[in-house]
């Protein structure tokens, strides 16, 4: 006998007491003999209903039975009939003392009175409802008549003997096989099975026939038929239009559970809470369909909360009946009068089932949510083949592939270089702040804030952008030092950038136009302070960075790319005007996703004159701007620079006659390292610096002539600073310069 059928049989045997052996005195059993009498004749006045309880006497609990009465006695004194008030009241000397009263209309029979008295004499043992008793294995009756029969036969023979009965003669083989086949499979035996059984003369032929039937798929179907009735299984919704629903995977699982001899504890847990197990299997999820077998509705006038409550109660009632072996439905309204369950306990169980995630309406569809897609056996086989193929492919991908790795590394390097080339670290020509804060542009194009840290401030940056198209802006919030945690100036090092404003004008003009920024993304934003807030026009919102240490960046996209043929003058304002005071950047940098018109971008010339009355010493003087060479901030020196956006490449430009030096500055943007050649003419002497390095020095006294000198120098990727000093010793005063070539290093001549 397999585990499932054996356990179910054991439970049925244990549900009530077995009859005593023949010749032994009949022991009164409380659950079988006494409790039904008390329930039928006494509980109405002395049971769980407190409102109707008479004389303060409660007979439905062991404590109540033994409790003292108001008269001083006890209803039950175990083993002492004369001291038990109940024994007197069921057979009193005075009719007025009779219980139950004649008016109740349910008198006790003589046999019932005898049963109650014998129960008291035997000790008035109280036994809880059988469903709450742990099953125990009873001793097998030792009967001579049983011989070598199975244990179950010994119990049957003992019960027959107790009633003075003898077993019937053994049925003929055809009847035996028909009975057991119907019992175990629900079908009669086939002619072939019957012929095989009749021709089998072995002494264990019947046992082997039983084993064959237990191994048959029909056995699981027969057992499942009975179980599915208890689980209220159906292939339709059960209410309203009663449309079809796809519950058959649960039905098939129940069949498999019996055929595979699933342990009863798993059979229980999986059905009640299979979906709550850690990493549940498909079978465990399907098994929890026990809780989805209840009738459902899609009626148009239904109230969702009402039907969800109905569904939950159905699950409680079914669980009580199937798993607890007791009715619990009465406890919906009051403590149960006949089964040991209170109304509070009922709704504790109700709360468990009321947590299911489902819709009230089944919408008249086969698979209302939530549902599980279950592959067929064919699908499962195909999936197995696909999984095996996938595993092989994964192994192939995981295996070393030096050639592919080399190509991937080459591609990644090229792609990284291409992406990096698009981003230009923009070096502003001026950086100012309001309310006492001070900004300083660093050699790496970052901007550091110093001076006062006011409650509110606005950073304004301005500078040249080479000819081309700007598609995005990148704002990097950088750490001001190695020991800093965040990029802000607040005491907690946080920042709140409330707004970003961007304007652009053709290079050399003040015709600024607002650049409309439409989207923003950030590598990190503080909760409720997103980067998108810098574009909403509200000073009380903004982008903040608390919650993650380190630098972070944001990218902002304009409505359309912008730029001008001769380059652009860019102006950017960063507003720190939120409700959080002193939350400005401590260090930051702006980058541009810039596609140049060519690989080289020539900025606007700026000039400033430094007089010198000593005539021939002008060339050798150290001008104030020379202290700033190499830091890309010559134009930030305290000098009144004059932009010359109208100058054309290679033209000669004459200055007013005066003795002294004319400083000329321009920025050159390069898409990569290049070897550059320029020609120039000057009146008189000339010096040239590129990125702080002196690359040309000619102290000549001469008139300006085109292409008089040839200058070679190196450009790095990004911005380069070109500074020219023309010194006039008397007479004419002028300058001319043009780029002759600027080839990448791999194309430059030896």
């Amino acid at each position: 006998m397999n585990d499932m059928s054996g356990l179910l049989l054991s439970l049925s045997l244990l549900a009530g007491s077995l009859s005593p052996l023949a010749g032994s005195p009949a022991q009164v059993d409380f659950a079988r003999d006494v409790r039904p009498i008390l329930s039928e004749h006494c509980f109405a006045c002395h049971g769980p209903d407190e409102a109707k309880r008479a004389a303060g006497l409660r007979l439905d609990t062991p404590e109540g039975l033994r409790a003292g009465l108001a008269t001083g006695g006890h209803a039950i004194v175990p083993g002492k009939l004369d001291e038990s008030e109940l024994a007197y009241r069921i057979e009193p000397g005075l009719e007025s003392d009779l219980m139950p009263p004649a008016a109740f209309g349910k008198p006790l029979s003589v046999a019932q009175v005898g049963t109650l008295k014998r129960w008291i004499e035997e000790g008035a043992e109280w036994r809880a409802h059988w469903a709450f008793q742990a099953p125990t294995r009873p001793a097998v009756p030792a009967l001579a008549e049983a011989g070598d029969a199975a244990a179950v036969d010994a119990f049957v023979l003992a019960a027959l003997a107790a009633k003075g009965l003898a077993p019937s003669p053994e049925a003929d083989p055809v009847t035996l096989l028909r009975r057991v086949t119907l019992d175990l499979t629900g079908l009669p035996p086939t002619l072939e099975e019957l012929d095989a059984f009749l021709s089998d003369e072995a002494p264990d032929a019947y046992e082997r026939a039983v084993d064959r039937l237990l191994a048959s798929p029909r056995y699981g179907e027969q057992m499942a038929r009975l179980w599915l009735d208890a689980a209220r299984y159906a292939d339709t919704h059960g209410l309203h239009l009663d449309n079809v629903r796809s519950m058959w995977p649960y039905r098939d699982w129940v069949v498999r559970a019996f055929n595979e001899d699933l342990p009863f504890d798993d059979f229980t847990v999986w059905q009640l809470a299979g979906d709550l197990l850690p990493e549940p299997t498909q079978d465990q999820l399907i098994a929890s369909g026990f809780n989805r077998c209840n009738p459902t509705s899609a009626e148009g006038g239904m109230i969702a909360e009402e039907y969800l409550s109905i569904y939950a109660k159905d699950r409680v009632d079914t669980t009580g009946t199937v798993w607890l072996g007791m009715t619990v439905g009465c406890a919906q309204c009051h403590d149960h009068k006949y089964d040991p369950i209170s109304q509070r306990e009922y709704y504790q169980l109700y709360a468990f089932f009321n947590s299911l995630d489902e819709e009230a309406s089944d919408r008249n569809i086969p698979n209302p949510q939530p549902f599980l897609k279950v592959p067929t056996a064919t699908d499962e086989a195909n999936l197995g083949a696909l999984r095996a193929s996938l595993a092989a492919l994964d192994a192939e991908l995981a295996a070393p592939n030096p050639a592919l790795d080399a190509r991937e590394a080459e591609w990644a390097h090229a792609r990284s270089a291409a992406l990096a080339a698009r981003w230009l670290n923009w070096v502003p020509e001026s950086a100012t702040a309001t309310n006492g804060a001070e900004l300083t542009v660093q050699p790496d194009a970052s901007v550091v804030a110093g001076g006062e840290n006011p409650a509110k401030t606005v950073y304004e940056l301005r500078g040249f952008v080479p000819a081309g198209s700007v598609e995005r802006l990148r704002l990097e919030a950088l750490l001001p030092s190695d020991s800093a945690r965040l990029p802000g100036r607040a005491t907690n090092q946080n920042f709140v950038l409330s707004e970003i404003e961007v304007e652009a004008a053709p290079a050399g003009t003040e015709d600024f136009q607002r650049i409309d920024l439409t989207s923003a993304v950030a590598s990190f934003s503080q909760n409720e302070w997103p980067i998108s807030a810098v574009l909403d026009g509200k000073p009380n919102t903004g982008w903040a960075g608390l919650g993650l240490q380190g630098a972070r960046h944001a990218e902002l996209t304009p409505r359309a790319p912008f730029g001008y043929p001769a380059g652009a003058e860019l102006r950017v304002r960063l507003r720190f005007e939120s409700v959080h005071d002193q939350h400005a950047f401590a260090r930051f940098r702006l980058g541009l996703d810039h596609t140049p018109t060519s690989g080289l971008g020539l900025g606007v010339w700026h000039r400033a004159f430094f007089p010198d009355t000593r005539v021939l010493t002008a060339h050798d003087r150290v001008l104030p701007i020379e202290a700033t060479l190499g830091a890309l901030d010559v134009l930030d020196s305290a000098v009144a620079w004059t932009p010359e956006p109208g100058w054309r490449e290679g033209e000669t430009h004459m200055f007013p006659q005066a003795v002294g030096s004319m400083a000329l500055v321009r920025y050159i943007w390069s898409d990569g390292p290049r070897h550059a050649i320029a020609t120039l003419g000057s009146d008189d002497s000339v010096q040239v610096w590129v990125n702080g390095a002196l690359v040309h020095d000619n102290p000549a006294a001469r008139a300006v002539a085109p292409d008089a000198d040839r200058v070679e120098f190196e450009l790095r990727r990004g911005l380069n600073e070109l500074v020219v000093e023309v010194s006039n010793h008397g007479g004419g005063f002028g300058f001319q310069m043009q780029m002759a070539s600027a080839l990448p290093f791999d194309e430059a001549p030896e």
Side-chain angles (χ1 to χ4, degrees):
M1 182 179 294
N2 70 13
D3 181 76
M4 285 285 285
S5 60
L7 183 52
L8 291 174
L9 176 59
S10 298
L11 288 174
S12 68
L13 291 173
L14 289 168
S17 298
L18 291 170
S19 297
L21 301 183
S24 64
Q27 181 83 18
V28 177
D29 181 87
F30 175 81
R32 184 192 63 213
D33 303 322
V34 176
R35 186 182 180 91
I37 298 174
L38 297 178
S39 177
E40 176 69 16
H41 299 275
C42 307
F43 284 178
C45 299
H46 303 291
D49 192 339
E50 187 174 356
K52 297 181 179 180
R53 192 176 301 148
L57 175 61
R58 184 169 187 179
L59 300 178
D60 64 317
T61 66
E63 297 81 11
L65 279 167
R66 292 167 175 76
L69 301 173
T71 59
H74 295 78
I76 297 291
V77 178
K80 297 181 179 181
L81 201 61
D82 293 341
E83 298 180 20
S84 300
E85 182 70 14
L86 185 144
Y88 168 73
R89 288 302 190 104
I90 62 177
E91 200 173 35
L94 297 175
E95 186 174 349
S96 59
D97 292 337
L98 178 64
M99 289 291 167
F104 185 61
K106 291 186 177 182
L108 294 172
S109 68
V110 174
Q112 289 173 326
V113 170
T115 298
L116 291 176
K117 284 186 173 183
R118 271 193 299 124
W119 172 62
I120 296 172
E121 289 176 326
E122 292 172 0
E125 178 190 8
W126 176 278
R127 290 180 61 193
H129 188 282
W130 68 264
F132 295 98
Q133 298 180 47
T136 58
R137 185 180 295 276
V140 178
L143 296 177
E145 295 89 341
D148 296 329
V152 66
D153 293 332
F155 283 108
V156 172
L157 291 173
L160 291 174
K163 296 181 182 296
L165 300 174
S168 300
E170 182 175 312
D172 63 89
V174 174
T175 301
L176 286 175
L177 184 65
R178 179 177 176 83
R179 284 177 182 171
V180 74
T181 304
L182 284 169
D183 281 346
L184 294 182
T185 68
L187 300 169
T190 64
L191 291 176
E192 292 77 13
E193 291 169 342
L194 186 58
D195 290 342
F197 180 66
L198 293 176
S199 62
D200 190 346
E201 298 180 356
D204 63 343
Y206 182 79
E207 286 77 4
R208 287 190 289 106
V210 171
D211 290 339
R212 172 180 60 79
L213 293 170
L214 290 174
S216 167
R218 305 288 85 79
Y219 165 75
E221 294 171 0
Q222 165 72 344
M223 299 298 290
R225 179 178 62 81
L226 304 174
W227 180 263
L228 293 171
D229 281 348
R232 76 270 195 241
Y233 171 83
D235 287 315
T236 61
H237 295 295
L239 295 175
H240 196 222
L241 300 181
D242 199 22
N243 280 350
V244 66
R245 65 178 173 186
S246 294
M247 288 295 296
W248 59 265
Y250 171 73
R251 176 201 65 200
D252 290 358
W253 174 82
V254 173
V255 173
R256 289 200 308 276
F258 280 103
N259 281 330
E260 295 171 5
D261 197 16
L262 182 71
F264 192 73
D265 54 349
D266 290 338
F267 188 72
T268 299
V269 172
W270 294 11
Q271 292 189 78
L272 292 179
D275 56 326
L276 300 182
L277 294 172
E279 300 182 6
T281 65
Q282 178 172 281
D283 271 357
Q284 289 167 341
L285 291 172
I286 293 173
S288 67
F290 174 85
N291 291 314
R292 300 296 302 282
C293 287
N294 58 285
T296 57
S297 177
E299 187 176 355
M302 69 187 303
I303 300 173
E305 291 79 3
E306 176 188 10
Y307 271 80
L308 290 175
S309 179
I310 291 172
Y311 300 162
K313 289 177 179 177
D314 173 274
R315 288 160 184 146
V316 174
D317 296 347
T318 304
T319 299
T321 301
V322 173
W323 300 107
L324 303 180
M326 55 189 276
T327 54
V328 297
C330 297
Q332 292 184 39
C333 304
H334 48 70
D335 289 352
H336 206 301
K337 295 182 178 182
Y338 306 112
D339 286 329
I341 179 172
S342 68
Q343 186 180 25
R344 178 180 182 84
E345 290 168 335
Y346 180 91
Y347 283 101
Q348 287 174 331
L349 191 55
Y350 170 94
F352 174 77
F353 289 108
N354 198 39
S355 64
L356 269 65
D357 180 19
E358 65 177 333
E359 298 179 17
S361 172
D362 57 43
R363 293 183 290 156
N364 281 316
I365 59 176
N367 296 305
Q369 290 284 359
F371 69 90
L372 179 70
K373 293 182 178 180
V374 181
T376 64
T378 302
D379 292 338
E380 193 61 49
N382 293 336
L383 285 172
L386 290 173
R387 292 188 189 103
S389 177
L390 181 61
L393 292 173
D394 286 340
E396 184 180 347
L397 286 174
N401 191 332
L404 181 61
D405 292 344
R407 290 174 58 193
E408 182 180 358
E410 180 182 355
W411 175 87
H413 178 75
R415 182 61 178 166
S416 177
L419 292 174
R422 291 181 63 90
W423 284 104
L424 165 67
N425 280 336
W426 181 57
V427 180
E429 298 170 18
S430 67
T432 60
T434 60
N435 299 330
E438 298 176 357
L439 301 180
T440 304
V441 181
Q442 303 298 308
D444 64 354
S446 67
V447 180
V448 174
E452 297 183 22
N453 186 15
K456 319 291 182 189
T457 188
V458 178
Y459 293 172
E460 182 170 300
L461 311 178
R462 180 168 173 169
F464 174 73
V465 178
S469 175
V470 176
E471 298 182 12
R472 289 176 297 167
L473 292 87
R474 181 178 62 197
L475 174 60
E476 296 178 87
L478 304 171
L479 299 182
S481 65
D482 293 339
S483 61
R485 296 180 298 103
L486 294 171
R489 299 191 74 188
T491 54
N492 64 352
Q493 301 184 19
N494 197 15
F495 63 88
V496 179
L497 174 62
S498 53
E499 289 293 317
I500 297 179
E501 299 171 358
V502 178
E503 298 174 326
T509 74
E510 295 294 315
D511 187 17
F512 282 99
Q513 302 293 320
R514 182 183 179 89
I515 303 301
D516 187 15
L517 302 175
T518 58
S519 65
V521 294
S523 59
F524 177 78
S525 293
Q526 183 177 329
N527 189 29
E528 298 183 359
W529 292 88
I531 182 61
S532 58
V534 302
L535 307 180
D536 63 8
K538 300 176 182 178
N540 58 331
T541 63
W543 177 41
L546 205 62
L548 181 69
Q549 295 187 16
R552 65 281 326 272
H553 68 273
E555 293 182 8
L556 304 104
T557 304
R559 186 174 300 280
F562 64 91
Y564 297 97
E569 190 74 14
L570 185 64
R571 185 161 64 193
V572 178
R573 295 188 189 91
L574 307 179
R575 295 188 177 274
F576 303 92
E577 299 174 325
S578 76
V579 294
H580 297 283
D581 293 343
Q582 297 185 313
H583 275 56
F585 284 147
R587 178 168 170 249
F588 65 97
R589 179 167 52 209
L590 280 169
L592 307 176
D593 182 1
H594 179 262
T595 303
T597 303
S598 65
L600 205 64
L602 302 178
V604 174
W605 282 105
H606 290 71
R607 62 182 176 86
F609 179 66
F610 298 89
D612 183 7
T613 58
R614 292 175 292 173
V615 186
L616 296 178
T617 64
H619 179 82
D620 298 320
R621 279 186 309 163
V622 176
L623 299 182
I625 65 168
E626 293 184 33
T628 61
L629 293 176
L632 295 179
D633 62 356
V634 171
L635 294 180
D636 282 345
S637 58
V639 174
W641 295 97
T642 302
E644 296 291 356
W647 285 8
R648 297 291 179 263
E649 191 73 4
E651 291 181 348
T652 299
H653 310 290
M654 302 305 297
F655 310 128
Q657 292 186 8
V659 176
S661 300
M662 183 69 72
L664 302 115
V665 181
R666 83 184 314 181
Y667 289 109
I668 302 175
W669 181 87
S670 176
D671 61 354
R674 289 177 178 270
H675 183 84
I677 300 174
T679 60
L680 62 83
S682 62
D683 185 350
D684 289 303
S685 60
V686 63
Q687 291 175 297
V688 180
W689 289 266
V690 176
N691 296 329
L694 183 66
V695 297
H696 186 68
D697 187 352
N698 186 355
R702 62 186 181 186
V704 63
D707 307 329
D709 291 355
R710 174 187 172 94
V711 182
E712 297 190 25
F713 51 90
E714 295 177 0
L715 296 174
R716 62 195 177 197
R717 189 179 72 84
L719 283 185
N720 297 264
E721 187 179 65
L722 173 66
V723 179
V724 179
E725 180 185 334
V726 177
S727 298
N728 184 35
H729 310 311
F733 193 11
F735 161 76
Q736 175 269 339
M737 187 173 188
Q738 67 178 348
M739 295 291 295
S741 66
L743 299 175
F745 277 142
D746 56 359
E747 299 178 18
E750 296 292 336

